[in-house]
């Protein structure tokens, strides 16, 4: 590779994918930095070269036609005997795939603002006769000013079929986890397929996970086509309830009930946007994470599992003498004391007092049949409590569910062992190992189990 690509002066490589390499270059004519995508056309695989050229021609023809502030602009396209390259707008920023993991989620107002702008960009593209068909976080760049820029129209469907050319539809394109049911089924597509994929991106940015996950493509496809969309508010209870119906509508399997265009999607998001305060503390999540990391309950959790636990739980700040759990109620909710102390009682008699790192309410959660509370729990002082709803936990990853199960069972067994020690202090002398009595046997044939 020389220090130039055509007239474009190479500054440095930006990245390399399966089919192309992207360089940061300088355009001497316009005196600006551009990103140049280079596709090498191999002689050994003529079929692949033809496919790459088709994608290249799609991206260049459609990209140069689209002119929207939230779509990456295409400036130039050149085809040479052994390669082809595109010169496009250089975005100094980060792809959204950096903000979809459980430990790096954005504040809610930023997420809604970004997706709102993407909705309007897709609305514009569809009016121009273009469907993207490969919407995923990696294909949405984010500038330092939080402006999303939709890239990679190489898999786009040109609905207008200009100049009599065939549609650029290629069977099976797209990223499976973000595909709409109709795209998986290879049905005719319209703008609603991009809105579905954008709904998946929104779901992931709010929860740190995809709505449908599986260990193999066949199972994933089955779930996308057949299963109901999980509730984002169950996975992240701190979200406003108004988001649930919006995401469910975006991810509707029935096209008739899905958003009909990006403007309609954006309108509903704007209604939620005004309910959100912009002054969210970006450091709050980090402080909460660090507080959990110090607790004995989470000592065996991986960092990513602590982040996931934080997302599915409700962080509650309570004053003293607040009833956390009431004896006799049916409720499987449980939780971990982050700071402060609580008192556990049965029929008005104190059982114990618990502090940071201790779990309460686990018996009702673990019991296979009964959700009835066996004890009451009241705060003794201002207390921070991490409340866990079983429905939210059931939607979390298998690793987190297994981790909770192991820790809870371990805690229950430890408490049973402690209770046995307390019972033994009031019990009769035990029989010695050689068969002789170490103490007097209970009279009248009564059982020491009566003490339990």
């Amino acid at each position: 590779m020389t220090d130039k690509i055509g007239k474009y002066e190479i500054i440095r490589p930006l990245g390399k994918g399966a089919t192309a390499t992207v360089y940061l270059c300088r355009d001497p004519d316009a005196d600006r930095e551009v990103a140049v995508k280079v596709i090498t056309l191999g002689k050994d695989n003529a079929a692949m070269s033809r496919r790459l050229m088709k994608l290249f021609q799609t991206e260049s023809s459609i990209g140069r036609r689209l002119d929207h502030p939230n779509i990456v602009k295409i400036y130039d396209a050149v085809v040479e005997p052994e390669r082809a390259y595109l010169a496009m707008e250089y975005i100094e920023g980060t792809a959204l795939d950096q903000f979809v993991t459980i430990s790096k989620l954005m504040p809610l107002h930023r997420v809604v603002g970004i997706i709102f702008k993407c909705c309007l960009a897709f609305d514009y593209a569809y009016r121009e006769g273009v469907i993207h068909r490969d919407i995923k976080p990696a294909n949405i760049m984010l500038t330092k000013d939080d402006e999303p820029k939709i890239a990679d129209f190489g898999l786009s469907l040109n609905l207008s079929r200009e100049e009599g050319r065939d549609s650029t539809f290629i069977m099976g394109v797209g990223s499976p986890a973000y595909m709409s049911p109709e795209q998986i089924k290879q049905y005719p597509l319209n703008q609603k397929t991009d809105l579905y994929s954008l709904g998946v991106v929104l779901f992931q940015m709010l929860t740190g996970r995809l709505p449908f996950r599986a260990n193999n493509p066949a199972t994933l496809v089955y779930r996308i086509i057949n299963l109901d969309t999980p509730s984002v508010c169950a996975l992240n209870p701190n979200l406003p309830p108004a988001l649930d119906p919006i995401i469910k509508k975006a991810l509707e399997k029935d096209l008739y009930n899905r958003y009909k265009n990006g403007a309609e999607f954006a309108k509903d998001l704007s209604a939620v946007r005004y309910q959100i305060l912009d002054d969210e503390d970006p450091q709050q999540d980090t402080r909460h994470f660090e507080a959990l990391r110090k607790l004995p309950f989470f000592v065996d959790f991986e960092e990513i599992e602590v982040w996931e636990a934080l997302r599915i739980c409700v962080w509650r700040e309570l004053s003293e003498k607040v009833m956390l759990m009431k004896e006799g109620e049916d409720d499987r909710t449980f939780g971990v004391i982050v700071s402060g102390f609580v008192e556990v009682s049965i029929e008005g008699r104190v059982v114990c007092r618990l502090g940071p790192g201790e779990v309460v309410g686990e018996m009702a959660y673990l019991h296979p049949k009964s959700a009835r509370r066996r004890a009451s729990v009241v705060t003794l002082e201002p207390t921070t409590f991490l409340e866990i709803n079983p429905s939210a936990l059931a939607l979390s990853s298998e690793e987190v569910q297994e981790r909770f199960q192991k820790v809870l069972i371990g805690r229950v067994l430890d408490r049973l062992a402690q209770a046995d020690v307390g019972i033994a202090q009031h019990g009769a002398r035990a029989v010695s190992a050689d068969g002789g009595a170490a103490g007097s046997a209970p009279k009248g044939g009564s059982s020491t189990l009566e003490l339990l």
Side-chain angles (χ1 to χ4, degrees):
M1 177 66 69
T2 65
D3 58 353
K4 285 188 176 183
I5 303 171
K7 69 176 182 177
Y8 302 102
E9 302 164 1
I10 297 175
I11 299 174
R12 59 183 170 87
L14 290 176
K16 185 172 183 179
T19 60
T21 304
V22 182
Y23 297 89
L24 174 62
C25 298
R26 181 180 172 275
D27 181 348
D29 295 341
D31 191 23
R32 64 188 171 197
E33 290 185 341
V34 296
V36 177
K37 179 190 289 187
V38 181
I39 298 174
T40 301
L41 306 175
K43 296 179 181 179
D44 297 336
N45 192 333
M48 178 59 73
S49 293
R50 287 195 299 271
R51 180 180 171 85
L52 290 176
M53 276 302 300
K54 187 170 186 179
L55 294 177
F56 175 85
Q57 290 165 351
T58 299
E59 188 160 15
S60 63
S61 63
I62 290 178
R64 282 186 288 183
R65 190 167 85 230
L66 298 178
D67 186 9
H68 189 276
N70 298 117
I71 296 176
V72 173
K73 180 65 178 172
I74 303 294
Y75 300 125
D76 190 15
V78 178
V79 178
E80 297 177 349
E82 295 183 354
R83 70 177 183 179
Y85 58 88
L86 286 173
M88 66 191 81
E89 179 183 5
Y90 170 58
I91 307 300
E92 189 173 0
T94 309
L96 285 188
D97 60 0
Q98 299 300 306
F99 304 101
V100 295
T101 57
I102 200 76
S103 59
K104 296 181 180 179
L105 298 185
M106 287 182 175
L108 178 57
H109 71 272
R110 290 182 63 195
V111 174
V112 172
I114 290 165
I115 301 300
F116 175 88
K117 292 175 181 177
C118 289
C119 287
L120 297 182
F122 287 132
D123 203 52
Y124 162 81
Y126 182 66
R127 290 198 304 272
E128 293 294 315
V130 177
I131 298 171
H132 191 289
R133 298 193 307 161
D134 191 26
I135 294 303
K136 57 186 177 183
N139 283 343
I140 303 175
M141 298 296 294
L142 190 65
T143 70
K144 58 184 178 181
D145 298 321
D146 261 9
E147 284 294 322
K149 296 276 190 175
I150 302 166
D152 280 356
F153 273 84
L155 299 181
S156 299
L157 174 61
N158 185 349
L159 297 178
S160 59
R161 299 188 184 183
E162 290 184 344
E163 301 174 9
R165 291 194 299 269
D166 289 339
S167 163
T168 57
F169 179 69
I170 299 172
M171 304 298 272
V173 299
S175 304
Y178 300 90
M179 281 185 177
S180 64
E182 63 271 19
Q183 190 172 7
I184 288 173
K185 294 176 181 178
Q186 299 184 352
Y187 288 174
L189 301 178
N190 59 27
Q191 81 279 16
K192 293 185 178 183
T193 191
D194 283 346
L195 298 180
Y196 179 97
S197 299
L198 189 62
V200 176
V201 174
L202 175 58
F203 189 105
Q204 196 174 15
M205 292 184 73
L206 293 174
T207 66
R209 55 156 279 178
L210 290 162
F212 303 106
R213 301 179 298 180
N215 294 326
N216 59 76
T219 304
L220 177 61
V221 164
Y222 174 84
R223 290 177 177 175
I224 290 172
I225 293 174
N226 295 286
L227 298 190
D228 291 335
T229 304
S231 162
V232 289
C233 292
L235 285 164
N236 187 348
N238 299 303
L239 296 174
L243 277 171
D244 251 340
I246 292 175
I247 290 181
K248 285 187 179 296
K249 188 169 183 177
L251 298 183
E252 265 286 350
K253 302 181 195 307
D254 184 348
L255 283 170
Y256 181 79
N257 293 320
R258 197 182 302 164
Y259 284 113
K260 63 183 179 182
N261 53 48
E264 187 180 75
F265 194 169
K267 181 181 178 182
D268 282 358
L269 282 176
S270 67
V272 175
R273 179 68 178 80
Y274 289 117
Q275 301 173 18
I276 304 168
L277 298 176
D278 287 353
D279 57 352
E280 295 181 40
D281 183 355
Q283 300 302 316
Q284 178 175 281
D285 280 353
T286 301
R287 290 198 301 269
H288 289 177
F289 169 82
E290 291 172 350
L292 296 190
R293 206 75 189 99
K294 296 174 183 176
L295 297 178
F297 186 92
F298 293 101
V299 70
D300 291 328
F301 280 59
E302 300 290 340
E303 285 198 359
I304 193 68
E305 294 169 348
V306 177
W307 276 111
E308 187 172 353
L310 183 59
R311 296 298 178 199
I312 64 171
C313 300
V314 177
W315 190 275
R316 298 182 62 188
E317 302 286 354
L318 306 167
S319 57
E320 63 176 329
K321 296 183 180 179
V322 172
M323 178 75 74
L324 261 179
M325 298 171 184
K326 188 175 182 181
E327 186 178 352
E329 288 185 341
D330 285 339
D331 186 3
R332 293 189 184 275
T333 302
F334 67 100
V336 180
I337 302 165
V338 180
S339 65
F341 286 86
V342 302
E343 183 178 82
V344 181
S345 63
I346 297 176
E347 295 182 355
R349 307 289 293 180
V350 175
V351 175
C352 63
R353 289 172 178 170
L354 302 173
E358 293 290 350
V359 61
V360 292
E362 76 283 1
M363 297 296 285
Y365 168 72
L366 290 172
H367 200 289
K369 294 182 179 180
S370 175
R372 188 168 295 277
R373 296 277 188 215
R374 302 298 200 280
S376 296
V377 181
V378 177
T379 60
L380 295 174
E381 62 183 40
T383 298
T384 301
F385 184 65
L386 191 72
E387 185 176 87
I388 301 138
N389 188 309
S391 298
L393 183 56
L395 293 171
S396 65
S397 66
E398 293 178 3
E399 292 81 5
V400 166
Q401 292 184 54
E402 183 178 350
R403 192 75 71 180
F404 266 100
Q405 199 79 0
K406 285 182 177 179
V407 176
L408 290 175
I409 291 174
R411 289 302 176 91
V412 169
L413 294 176
D414 287 343
R415 288 178 179 175
L416 284 174
Q418 293 171 6
D420 285 345
V421 171
I423 292 170
Q425 291 175 355
H426 300 282
R429 294 286 301 277
V431 175
S432 64
D434 61 4
S440 301
K443 295 181 180 179
S446 63
S447 170
T448 53
L449 292 177
E450 291 174 2
L451 293 169
L452 301 178

